[in-house]
Amino acid sequence: MARQKSGEMVTFTNVDKVFFPKPGFTKGQMIQYYLAAAPFILPHLRDRPVTLIRFPDGITGESFYEKNAPRFAPPWLKTFAVGRRHKPGKINYILINDASALAWCANIAGIEIHPFLHCVPKVDTPTHIVFDLDPGDGADILTCVQVAFLVKDITDDLGLQIFPKVSGSKGLQLYVPLNTPTTYAATASFAKAVAELLEQKHGNLVVSHMEKSRRRNRVLIDWSQNNPSKTTASVYSMRAKREEPFISLPVTWPELKKAKHAKDLSFSPDEAIQRLKKKGDLFAPVLSLKQKLPQAFAAQSAPPAPPLKAYAAKRDFTRTAEPQPKLGRGRANQSTGRFVIQKHAATRLHYDFRLEMEGTLKSWAVPKGLSPDPGVKRAAFEVEDHPINYLKFEGTIPKGQYGGGTVMVWDIGTYELLGGDHAKGDLKLMLHGSKITGEWHLFRIKTDESKPMWLIVKSGQAAKPISVRRDDQSALTKRTMAQIAAGKGSKKVWRSH
Ligand code: MN
């Protein structure tokens, strides 16, 4: 099936495939929704890099985040290249600037469209603030409505207009248009201050932090979405979070006040199109209204990274060759960085998995290492942050010192954060190492102990298994554990600090 769109020809494939089994909603219907919504959604996507969440076999099949325009993208599809940190090459973000691009993204099963809060080329300037209201267990969208009005009280007092939309999942999102010079540091501190203030005043209703256990019956005001590496579901995006397709749709404050049931705030694709025809784009002011943050926030700069106290407290640097604590530069939940897996023959042999993030190495001890097989869960115990220069630490920690034993750089490379958030305990990762490559999902299951427990599981396709020989070979120096323990051959490649 092919259809002539404005400009380029897009051929639609597998249009009869059922994407939402419960209502029997097909891929063709999904594409039709986006074509009908195009005049309304396109202004909100223009020049904003997007991440697509693709569901090639519908919502019950596998899904993945598509940040980089795939190789089979047509030459006419506009992209914007952003350099990767610590790695040659770039991410070519898709720009959905016309109906053809939108149709093409729908046809590759990009059910959900998540744009950044900035437009290219000004990738450091958010055009609006978002408050993502996410209900915990026992709370629902009506609880979010209560919290939305509390946020509005504050923005009203500051003379700022704020626009609500339903997320199409479980919550609400509130947008404060700026469209004036600002920074993510300023918008994030403003949103955080509002969230913390409301948590103080309405602790029975609001939380400002991500800990799942504290969220029961409450609404998380997720201020951390105001981040240069984060995307938020677009207004008018279809969502694949529930059994039926729902649209992330703007609503008015009076409508929120009147809502009696959660279903009053759920909109099917057909309902969304009818509303659009009747009411037009209620989110149009988000694109045009110029507003400024209060002066105190406008001057904010990025918060400092946390010190490596826990790391330093455990070590005697006159005895161990491990690096001294030193903070690198970094920002919260950057979208790319380096990673290392160190094989560590301590009291028990284990693997240490570390991600460069927020100026330090977030670290987990993974007793059995990462599994190459999809679905196999491995326990990962979060341990103290390590300094960035621990990335290339290989050698022997003296007996009697913390972690005494041999350390090998088992694999090292770069990662992309495909989705999720460290503070939320959910990281969808694409690893590019010399031994292992592919997607893994690392998520926290227990927070209330000194070593928070996470699981790491392979997602996407199986990874290549590692031979016994390569398992015992440093990715940095090619040495075996025995050679490292004997201090052999270290001078050529590896330098101590
Ligand atoms: Mn270790």
Side-chain angles (χ1 to χ4, degrees):
M1 175 178 166
R3 196 182 298 203
Q4 179 68 49
K5 292 303 307 162
S6 60
E8 306 297 337
M9 177 83 98
V10 174
T11 303
F12 296 129
T13 52
N14 301 317
V15 289
D16 296 327
K17 196 182 257 187
V18 172
F19 265 23
F20 290 81
K22 196 182 166 204
F25 188 87
T26 63
K27 179 181 173 185
Q29 289 173 290
M30 187 269 280
I31 294 171
Q32 271 168 7
Y33 164 76
Y34 275 115
L35 295 179
F40 303 97
I41 191 174
L42 284 172
H44 293 279
L45 297 175
R46 182 160 194 86
D47 288 336
R48 286 179 203 277
V50 297
T51 295
L52 299 177
I53 309 185
R54 293 177 56 196
F55 296 77
D57 295 309
I59 62 160
T60 53
E62 209 173 86
S63 66
F64 52 96
Y65 287 76
E66 191 84 82
K67 282 186 6 169
N68 212 349
R71 257 166 241 221
F72 57 85
W76 52 261
L77 186 76
K78 286 197 180 66
T79 59
F80 183 82
V82 176
R84 295 174 196 266
R85 277 163 57 90
H86 312 298
K87 203 190 169 193
K90 307 213 162 195
I91 300 175
N92 285 304
Y93 283 102
I94 296 170
L95 298 178
I96 303 179
N97 281 1
D98 54 42
S100 306
L102 183 63
W104 185 83
C105 289
N107 188 58
I108 63 165
I111 297 181
E112 294 199 4
I113 304 173
H114 293 234
F116 285 89
L117 302 181
H118 52 252
C119 293
V120 299
K122 291 183 179 172
V123 297
D124 296 320
T125 308
T127 56
H128 51 266
I129 299 168
V130 61
F131 293 93
D132 190 3
L133 308 188
D134 190 5
D137 291 341
D140 64 8
I141 196 165
L142 296 177
T143 332
C144 293
V145 170
Q146 283 178 271
V147 173
F149 277 97
L150 298 175
V151 175
K152 184 174 187 289
D153 284 343
I154 295 178
T155 50
D156 282 354
D157 281 348
L158 295 168
L160 294 169
Q161 288 192 55
I162 184 165
F163 296 84
K165 72 176 172 81
V166 302
S167 70
S169 173
K170 288 182 292 184
L172 285 177
Q173 286 145 351
L174 311 176
Y175 283 45
V176 179
L178 295 176
N179 301 305
T180 49
T182 187
T183 62
Y184 276 103
T187 57
S189 359
F190 176 76
K192 183 174 187 227
V194 170
E196 287 177 349
L197 181 68
L198 290 178
E199 183 178 43
Q200 270 176 30
K201 285 172 73 175
H202 307 275
N204 57 331
L205 207 55
V206 175
V207 288
S208 68
H209 291 282
M210 320 291 172
E211 304 291 326
K212 268 242 156 71
S213 55
R214 292 168 55 204
R215 285 167 60 182
R216 169 153 274 283
N217 301 327
R218 293 177 177 83
V219 171
L220 168 70
I221 301 182
D222 186 359
W223 52 268
S224 73
Q225 289 294 112
N226 298 284
N227 183 297
S229 65
K230 290 214 187 165
T231 59
T232 303
S234 178
V235 63
Y236 309 124
S237 174
M238 187 176 290
R239 303 302 303 275
K241 290 281 192 293
R242 291 149 77 185
E243 287 185 315
E244 294 175 45
F246 289 106
I247 306 302
S248 182
L249 205 68
V251 284
T252 63
W253 289 102
E255 282 176 313
L256 285 183
K257 190 148 260 171
K258 273 195 296 190
K260 290 269 178 341
H261 305 282
K263 66 172 167 43
D264 299 341
L265 296 172
S266 286
F267 301 96
S268 71
D270 282 348
E271 286 167 334
I273 295 299
Q274 278 166 26
R275 267 177 71 92
L276 280 168
K277 285 183 180 153
K278 213 166 103 192
K279 296 180 190 279
D281 177 12
L282 294 174
F283 246 37
V286 171
L287 296 176
S288 58
L289 183 64
K290 290 189 188 328
Q291 305 191 104
K292 277 188 182 157
L293 281 178
Q295 201 54 46
F297 294 100
Q300 281 288 328
S301 56
L308 292 160
K309 259 194 205 147
Y311 173 85
K314 289 179 176 172
R315 291 169 174 80
D316 175 356
F317 296 102
T318 62
R319 302 208 44 209
T320 178
E322 293 168 284
Q324 301 228 21
K326 197 177 132 212
L327 289 173
R329 280 153 51 83
R331 38 176 216 227
N333 290 294
Q334 61 213 22
S335 59
T336 60
R338 291 171 289 179
F339 84 92
V340 66
I341 297 172
Q342 279 148 329
K343 190 172 177 177
H344 185 183
T347 318
R348 284 205 181 85
L349 180 76
H350 62 271
Y351 296 81
D352 291 304
F353 181 55
R354 309 186 200 281
L355 295 172
E356 181 183 21
M357 204 178 260
E358 298 170 19
T360 64
L361 295 178
K362 296 287 172 198
S363 297
W364 293 262
V366 187
K368 292 182 168 177
L370 279 59
S371 172
D373 302 317
V376 177
K377 296 188 177 81
R378 293 280 167 84
F381 299 91
E382 187 173 8
V383 298
E384 73 276 9
D385 293 353
H386 279 50
I388 297 279
N389 50 1
Y390 211 98
L391 270 168
K392 295 187 180 173
F393 175 72
E394 187 170 278
T396 299
I397 301 170
K399 231 180 166 182
Q401 286 293 297
Y402 179 76
T406 307
V407 177
M408 168 198 277
V409 174
W410 186 82
D411 201 9
I412 188 163
T414 60
Y415 75 90
E416 292 167 57
L417 184 60
L418 301 176
D421 181 305
H422 179 270
K424 278 184 185 168
D426 183 59
L427 295 167
K428 295 183 181 75
L429 302 166
M430 168 65 86
L431 303 181
H432 304 275
S434 62
K435 278 185 189 150
I436 61 167
T437 293
E439 288 177 37
W440 273 268
H441 185 193
L442 179 60
F443 53 99
R444 190 168 57 213
I445 57 170
K446 275 188 211 156
T447 55
D448 46 359
E449 48 187 296
S450 59
K451 282 186 183 180
M453 188 181 165
W454 301 52
L455 294 175
I456 186 160
V457 58
K458 182 80 189 70
S459 46
Q461 294 175 338
K464 263 191 239 149
I466 307 294
S467 68
V468 176
R469 185 183 63 85
R470 290 199 77 204
D471 183 64
D472 192 27
Q473 190 179 63
S474 162
L476 214 54
T477 62
K478 306 283 181 237
R479 294 182 298 171
T480 63
M481 287 297 271
Q483 286 169 334
I484 296 166
K488 277 185 186 152
S490 62
K491 296 222 170 56
K492 272 182 232 156
V493 195
W494 176 75
R495 283 177 298 127
S496 79
H497 299 269

